[in-house]
Amino acid sequence: MRVLICAAMLVMVLAPAILPSAWGALGQSSTTVEDDRAKLHGVHQRRGGISYSIDTITVAGLEINEYVSSDGMVFAVVWKGTGVPDLKLLLGEYFEAYREEVAAARSRKPRVREPFRMKSDRLIVERVGHSRSLWGRAYLPSQLPPGIRPEDIQ
Amino acid sequence: MKRMRVVVAFLCLLAGCGGGGDDGGGFTSSAGSIPISVGTSSVCVTINELCASVTVCQPGTSNCQTISDVLVDVGSVGLRVFGSRLSVPLTQTVDAQGRAIGECTFFADGSTSWGPVQIADVVLGDAPAVRVPMQVITPTFGGQSVSSNPCNDTVDSDPDAASLNGILGIGLFRQDCGSVCAVNSNNTLYFSCQAASCAGAVVSVVDQVQNPVWLLPSGNNGVVITLPNVPESGAPSVTGSLILGIDPAASTTPPSAVLPTNANGFVTTVYKGRTFAQSIIDSGSNALFFPDASLAGCPMPLDPFYCPPNALHLSATISGTGGGQAVVPFQVANTQLLVDTQNSAYNNLGGDFSTFDWGLPFFLGRTVFVGIEGQSSSLGTGPFFAF
């Protein structure tokens, strides 16, 4: 099992080169998720709901939850664990907007040390935590299915 | 104070106390203290930024350097110093194949540091030196760069931009990663590098970046942070103490509540009927961050801080895992009015976030005990907070 998990993470690390349509990326169709997950050999489970489902992958001290709407789109991702997953993979086309916001927060003078948050009509990303336990989430506020509130995305 | 430490050390000699070790240790008394301050330096210039000095030595030598402006951070574990501010040579750690070990460190503010893990003799205050793996923040380590590195992020490169020379992580844990990084090469934190190429690495627990406090011969069960309070309009500076080792009997302000954290270091906060199970207590955060839609936010560029027209008296209950709770009154004032005073330390600075982050204002006017995992004290075995 450990070998499989390591192989899975290796695929995740290499994925930008070999999987242009990133694994389970925010805003993308979930139709590729199962293919990609098969390649990842991650330990995963699905919890179903009426208007959305949650796919969970646990690997190497990380738990990644993908929220998928009933029409098959990933509208939120949540990660927690000792490290941070490759957000380029998880955020997909939204990664650059996130990266720009991180750079802006970092160039703020004087620098403020606060939990990271970017908030726009299009994308919300938050990060918090401490050594051993980091937590973050990204979601598309205009794409939340009926019945789910931001505080439900944990 | 100095005399008291000498007496304590003598008593320790008599009683044979100290030396916690892997068994969780027995009673350990203070190993001394370090002055800590907000608003007294030209590097740690951020509001509510708590800093101290740490001495780093080439292992086994008296070739030492005092690093000033090191963030005193209960929210992280291990010592990290910008390589550009370090002049003493340290010992690079390597894997079984001789490849240099480096690390990505991710912080809650979205910043990331990259650099080698090196062995140093670290001196905290007047405590004896401890030999520990620490991180030397170096964006170019392993043939990497600020924008292209194993952290998949833009990593910190400039101490002045970061407003610190280093970070002294004295949080709840012995190492910054623990067993996860000792069995998984793809832990996203540790890497081994050779010929400008880095790959995820398994790093044993003892070779990971360590909380230097738990390796002290005595006073190794945690730390105590004592800071005076400040007026409602803030203060230009505050100075307090970081005491090494938890010995409530020696404290002028023994704690009224002991809050064991969960295994991940979180406590639970209940505020206005909402429960936040992933709350953190973090001296490295500059304000109290929590969600309250009824509080007016500040306009840019002070977003996400709160700007209520009048200062508000609020209250929340923090509880531990399996017992212990405390009602914590706090204030949130108008951030614009606060920063207009040009002070550096405020006990009523608040901002918006989706969970509770008890930042530096929580520590002002308090004595906060931080118990390290597996280390015992008369307050219990860590990880815990007490205040």
Side-chain angles (χ1 to χ4, degrees):
Chain A
M1 179 63 90
R2 185 171 300 157
V3 171
L4 285 179
I5 292 172
C6 288
M9 286 305 286
L10 187 62
V11 171
M12 286 185 77
V13 169
L14 297 175
I18 59 174
L19 294 174
S21 58
W23 166 76
L26 198 60
Q28 291 192 345
S29 163
S30 68
T31 53
T32 62
V33 170
E34 284 307 317
D35 287 348
D36 292 341
R37 182 169 294 116
K39 292 171 187 158
L40 294 170
H41 302 291
V43 179
H44 68 98
Q45 59 170 355
R46 165 169 289 186
R47 284 176 283 157
I50 294 169
S51 62
Y52 66 94
S53 59
I54 303 172
D55 283 272
T56 301
I57 286 208
T58 46
V59 62
L62 278 171
E63 178 184 307
I64 301 162
N65 288 322
E66 289 176 78
Y67 288 64
V68 182
S69 64
S70 56
D71 59 357
M73 191 192 73
V74 179
F75 63 89
V77 292
V78 180
W79 59 94
K80 54 186 118 178
T82 47
V84 174
D86 184 349
L87 298 183
K88 200 179 291 181
L89 283 173
L90 291 183
L91 303 189
E93 63 182 286
Y94 294 89
F95 179 74
E96 277 311 313
Y98 159 75
R99 192 177 166 118
E100 284 167 18
E101 195 70 20
V102 170
R106 204 166 298 179
S107 59
R108 196 166 165 170
K109 302 265 183 188
R111 171 92 157 256
V112 176
R113 295 197 173 267
E114 59 188 339
F116 175 81
R117 184 183 73 160
M118 74 169 287
K119 201 169 188 175
S120 71
D121 294 340
R122 196 166 159 257
L123 173 67
I124 291 176
V125 184
E126 294 180 311
R127 289 175 65 171
V128 73
H130 46 215
S131 288
R132 292 284 185 97
S133 195
L134 297 158
W135 175 88
R137 65 175 180 176
Y139 63 96
L140 309 175
S142 63
Q143 306 289 332
L144 298 190
I148 184 168
R149 301 163 302 170
E151 54 263 43
D152 298 327
I153 301 168
Q154 294 289 342
Chain B
M1 191 54 168
K2 189 115 189 168
R3 179 178 296 165
M4 178 177 287
R5 279 202 298 273
V6 172
V7 171
V8 168
F10 178 66
L11 289 175
C12 279
L13 279 176
L14 286 180
C17 55
D22 274 325
D23 60 355
F27 173 77
T28 56
S29 57
S30 172
S33 68
I34 308 172
I36 54 177
S37 62
V38 175
T40 60
S41 89
S42 59
V43 177
C44 288
V45 292
T46 298
I47 285 170
N48 283 347
E49 186 179 16
L50 183 67
C51 288
S53 291
V54 173
T55 299
V56 175
C57 307
Q58 182 179 2
T61 76
S62 56
N63 183 16
C64 299
Q65 179 189 3
T66 297
I67 311 288
S68 68
D69 301 290
V70 174
L71 182 73
V72 176
D73 187 18
V74 163
S76 69
V77 170
L79 177 62
R80 301 162 206 285
V81 173
F82 274 98
S84 57
R85 294 285 158 91
L86 195 63
S87 57
V88 293
L90 305 178
T91 305
Q92 177 64 47
T93 62
V94 295
D95 68 7
Q97 284 73 44
R99 294 174 295 214
I101 298 292
E103 188 183 24
C104 292
T105 311
F106 302 98
F107 296 97
D109 64 351
S111 66
T112 305
S113 64
W114 163 250
V117 177
Q118 299 187 345
I119 309 282
D121 286 350
V122 172
V123 183
L124 303 175
D126 45 9
V130 283
R131 188 158 298 176
V132 288
M134 57 172 276
Q135 185 184 33
V136 180
I137 302 169
T138 315
T140 54
F141 168 70
Q144 309 298 304
S145 71
V146 168
S147 58
S148 176
N149 52 67
C151 317
N152 297 306
D153 206 341
T154 304
V155 296
D156 281 330
S157 58
D158 179 5
D160 291 319
S163 71
L164 46 77
N165 291 334
I167 296 174
L168 176 61
I170 40 148
L172 298 163
F173 301 101
R174 293 174 173 180
Q175 302 86 20
D176 64 353
C177 184
S179 59
V180 166
C181 296
V183 294
N184 300 287
S185 63
N186 291 290
N187 52 66
T188 78
L189 299 179
Y190 284 96
F191 296 83
S192 58
C193 298
Q194 191 172 46
S197 172
C198 299
V202 168
V203 175
S204 68
V205 166
V206 295
D207 292 329
Q208 295 173 13
V209 169
Q210 305 282 321
N211 184 337
V213 174
W214 93 274
L215 292 170
L216 289 167
S218 68
N220 52 31
N221 52 9
V223 296
V224 187
I225 293 179
T226 300
L227 286 166
N229 213 339
V230 298
E232 286 186 11
S233 59
S237 66
V238 294
T239 299
S241 293
L242 170 67
I243 300 162
L244 306 168
I246 291 174
D247 182 6
S251 173
T252 54
T253 48
S256 58
V258 179
L259 279 54
T261 73
N262 68 13
N264 294 324
F266 293 118
V267 293
T268 295
T269 302
V270 176
Y271 172 69
K272 291 190 175 177
R274 284 182 66 189
T275 299
F276 302 94
Q278 294 187 84
S279 298
I280 61 172
I281 296 175
D282 177 16
S283 61
S285 294
N286 299 147
L288 306 172
F289 294 97
F290 60 99
D292 188 337
S294 74
L295 295 184
C298 301
M300 289 294 281
L302 289 178
D303 173 81
F305 290 97
Y306 288 127
C307 276
N310 301 301
L312 299 169
H313 292 258
L314 303 167
S315 176
T317 300
I318 312 179
S319 58
T321 298
Q325 69 172 40
V327 176
V328 178
F330 61 100
Q331 288 186 55
V332 172
N334 184 305
T335 301
Q336 183 65 59
L337 298 179
L338 291 180
V339 299
D340 286 348
T341 66
Q342 305 216 342
N343 280 323
S344 293
Y346 305 99
N347 63 10
N348 45 11
L349 187 67
D352 183 26
F353 195 69
S354 61
T355 185
F356 244 93
D357 174 357
W358 295 95
L360 194 83
F362 174 79
F363 290 81
L364 293 170
R366 268 205 180 79
T367 295
V368 180
F369 298 73
V370 184
I372 298 173
E373 63 170 334
Q375 303 291 94
S376 62
S377 74
S378 60
L379 298 179
T381 300
F384 66 79
F385 289 105
F387 50 88

